[in-house]
Amino acid sequence: MGSAADFPKIDFTSNFQNIINNALSSTPETRQAVDPSTEELLYHVPLSKQADVDKAVSVAKAAFPAWKALSYDERAGYLGRYADAIEANVSGLQELLMKEAGKPVSNAAGELQFAIAHVRETAKLRIEDDLIEDTEERRATVRYLPMGVGVGIIPWNYPVLLGLGKLGPAVLAGNTFIWKPSPFSPYTALKLGEIAAQIFPPGVVQVLSGDESLGPLFTAHPDVAKISFTGSSATGKKVMQACASTLKRLTLELGGNDASIIYDDVDVAQVVQKIGPMAFMHSGQICMDIKRLYVHEKIYDEFLAAFVQVVKSFKVGGGGDPEAFLGPVQNRMQFEKVKDLYSEIGKQKWQVATGGEPVAYDGKKGFFLPPTIIDNPPDDSRIVVEEPFGPIMPVLKWSDEDEVVRRANNTNMGLGASVWSNDIEKAERLARRLEAGSTWVNSHFELSPYVPFGGHKWSGVGMDWGIVGLKGWCNTQASWVRKKF
């Protein structure tokens, strides 16, 4: 592991440019994102066009043969050094992340810590050939070969972790990688690209910033082998359609409407302390946050009262607030969507257990909304059917196992789900009936670089992370060797 002195320091307050062929690259036009805590404009960033995409893809394609020829250990060495360089610049990255994403100190620090660990642990993964048959006459082997130029289209909610979580497996598998950050949060990505330019050979890792028109330029490009996209289900469908014209490989990690089912045998005081952060972390702007909470009717009133007290204890504050747990909604577009859902409270006469319509925030700067719990709304309510992606959620009653499984599965989404009980066997039995890419017993939103995550149904195609995710960056090849003619 290198020391901080081994790596040049990056300026995190100016000179935000694309990284193409390990060089800073400007564009004639620029744009600015907004600090969601203050609504103030942030730094100018490039507005990439077709020529920038063509250049980056051409460079990545040219770098691919030499990069894939390296061994896994050699490529892992680059990733380890990259993790060290990121860690050497972590304070500047954290300040930038708090500005662009509106993250309080604990959330920003946690994202960076996990992201650095993710790069280091990903570097330890290896894909071995699968020996299927080996007889005197013949040998059959399955191999996993890198694809070529990969593009990661990254969302605004976890811009560092989700970006590095695609970069690491892509380059470890032998691909070259282009990072396209969200227009709402381009800053950390550009600086992580600047750091990468100090570590990787030219063309292996590049970063291009732009507006909503940039993604389609990559999905249409004939020399891009794979798109890995994280974002909404609606946009994911458009990405899938766009990739069809060139039959690109793709991974889609899309929205979720995660259900959490609470049995009546739990320790209520203990469980609410765990569930509160898992439901409201990053103000509900995580695909794997708990979005629907089903509580057994025998403990419903006790649970709801205790859960409300936990949520009331969460301080709301701006990016960089050391005491805040909840920050703002990250951008105005999402803010208006979530506000529209809050407006249903009065119209539909939902029972509010805490929070409510954001009257107290009117006229104040920043995209802040009060953490809100809706008490047992009808199953066909928007708050139950839709993914809010904001700090508002329903708590619902249940009494029958078959009924609650049906209700939990009654959605187009299938990202994650959890079951909470002191009877582990019973909880696991119910969890196996839930239609989701990840299930948990007595936890939620638990992740590891070694374990894949992704969704069923409209929550995605394929999976990221772990050996499964690493193979997703490879073409499968069947190899036959005839030993005797």
Side-chain angles (χ1 to χ4, degrees):
M1 183 180 297
S3 68
D6 295 333
F7 304 101
K9 287 296 182 181
I10 301 295
D11 178 7
F12 291 95
T13 61
S14 65
N15 203 25
F16 292 86
Q17 298 189 47
N18 289 334
I19 302 298
I20 300 178
N21 203 26
N22 277 10
L24 295 171
S25 179
S26 61
T27 57
E29 296 179 73
T30 61
R31 60 180 302 278
Q32 293 169 273
V34 173
D35 183 333
S37 298
T38 64
E39 300 183 50
E40 294 177 355
L41 289 171
L42 292 171
Y43 316 103
H44 287 269
V45 294
L47 187 60
S48 301
K49 301 295 184 181
Q50 186 71 59
D52 305 292
V53 170
D54 290 344
K55 182 179 179 181
V57 172
S58 175
V59 167
K61 185 178 179 181
F64 174 59
W67 181 250
K68 75 173 181 177
L70 299 180
S71 69
Y72 262 94
D73 287 349
E74 288 171 318
R75 294 193 295 262
Y78 281 98
L79 279 175
R81 187 163 170 80
Y82 185 41
D84 293 344
I86 295 170
E87 191 166 58
N89 287 279
V90 73
S91 60
L93 283 165
Q94 182 172 317
E95 289 294 324
L96 196 56
L97 181 59
M98 290 187 295
K99 286 182 180 179
E100 73 174 349
K103 296 199 171 196
V105 172
S106 60
N107 193 303
E111 178 176 353
L112 281 161
Q113 182 180 13
F114 186 35
I116 293 168
H118 195 288
V119 174
R120 288 195 173 118
E121 296 307 306
T122 294
K124 299 175 184 177
L125 297 174
R126 298 291 184 272
I127 300 177
E128 305 294 339
D129 292 349
D130 295 331
L131 182 62
I132 307 302
E133 179 183 331
D134 193 6
T135 66
E136 290 184 1
E137 290 78 24
R138 66 183 188 180
R139 182 173 66 249
T141 307
V142 175
R143 296 173 177 158
Y144 302 91
L145 308 177
M147 295 176 172
V149 180
V151 173
I153 301 178
I154 314 303
W156 42 260
N157 59 334
Y158 268 70
V160 174
L161 175 60
L162 294 177
L164 292 176
K166 295 183 189 296
L167 182 157
V171 301
L172 180 66
N175 303 283
T176 52
F177 183 78
I178 301 173
W179 182 333
K180 191 211 84 67
S182 165
F184 295 114
S185 57
Y187 298 101
T188 48
L190 291 170
K191 291 303 177 180
L192 285 163
E194 199 172 329
I195 295 170
Q198 303 173 4
I199 306 298
F200 293 96
V204 173
V205 175
Q206 302 177 93
V207 184
L208 268 68
S209 163
D211 59 14
E212 292 80 1
S213 67
L214 181 57
L217 299 181
F218 284 115
T219 57
H221 202 290
D223 289 334
V224 170
K226 174 171 178 173
I227 297 286
S228 183
F229 170 83
T230 299
S232 71
S233 298
T235 305
K237 292 177 185 179
K238 294 178 181 178
V239 171
M240 196 170 192
Q241 289 174 332
C243 288
S245 64
T246 51
L247 288 178
K248 285 180 174 55
R249 278 47 180 167
L250 80 165
T251 298
L252 303 175
E253 194 273 291
L254 308 177
N257 197 6
D258 287 17
S260 190
I261 298 171
I262 317 298
Y263 274 96
D264 59 353
D265 61 355
V266 300
D267 182 326
V268 170
Q270 185 179 58
V271 170
V272 293
Q273 293 291 337
K274 294 182 178 180
I275 286 181
M278 294 173 186
F280 285 92
M281 185 180 295
H282 196 26
S283 296
Q285 300 172 104
I286 304 176
C287 54
M288 281 186 167
D289 273 345
I290 296 170
K291 307 287 181 18
R292 296 174 292 151
L293 190 54
Y294 294 91
V295 180
H296 196 281
E297 63 180 8
K298 289 183 178 179
I299 61 167
Y300 182 87
D301 292 340
E302 177 190 2
F303 188 98
L304 181 62
F307 187 49
V308 164
Q309 291 307 308
V310 170
V311 174
K312 282 184 174 180
S313 72
F314 295 152
K315 181 187 175 186
V316 177
D321 188 330
E323 298 179 357
F325 178 74
L326 299 177
V329 175
Q330 198 277 334
N331 58 79
R332 180 168 291 282
M333 179 185 71
Q334 185 63 24
F335 181 61
E336 296 299 333
K337 288 181 180 178
V338 183
K339 274 176 62 179
D340 183 63
L341 192 57
Y342 274 77
S343 73
E344 293 286 296
I345 293 172
K347 297 174 186 176
Q348 304 299 327
K349 297 182 171 53
W350 292 339
Q351 296 298 310
V352 176
T354 188
E357 297 190 50
V359 177
Y361 294 86
D362 287 350
K364 294 185 177 180
K365 289 290 186 181
F367 305 137
F368 295 98
L369 292 168
T372 297
I373 298 170
I374 305 300
D375 178 2
N376 203 33
D379 278 2
D380 61 356
S381 302
R382 282 183 61 194
I383 189 61
V384 179
V385 174
E386 298 178 12
E387 179 188 22
F389 224 67
I392 180 172
M393 68 172 300
V395 181
L396 306 115
K397 291 182 184 178
W398 71 275
S399 58
D400 177 78
E401 280 190 0
D402 291 338
E403 172 213 12
V404 77
V405 168
R406 177 189 60 77
R407 293 165 69 192
N409 288 337
N410 187 28
T411 172
N412 288 325
M413 302 299 183
L415 192 59
S418 59
V419 183
W420 300 71
S421 173
N422 287 330
D423 186 333
I424 301 299
E425 183 179 345
K426 177 176 67 176
E428 284 189 293
R429 185 176 66 246
L430 189 138
R432 282 193 290 270
R433 299 173 63 189
L434 298 174
E435 298 167 354
S438 297
T439 63
W440 300 270
V441 169
N442 295 331
S443 70
H444 200 100
F445 191 27
E446 197 165 347
L447 300 172
S448 164
Y450 298 102
V451 180
F453 83 93
H456 296 178
K457 301 189 280 190
W458 287 13
S459 287
V461 175
M463 302 190 91
D464 282 323
W465 303 3
I467 291 295
V468 172
L470 192 59
K471 287 181 178 179
W473 285 100
C474 299
N475 283 319
T476 304
Q477 182 184 75
S479 172
W480 294 87
V481 175
R482 176 62 67 172
K483 301 177 182 178
K484 296 181 178 180
F485 291 99

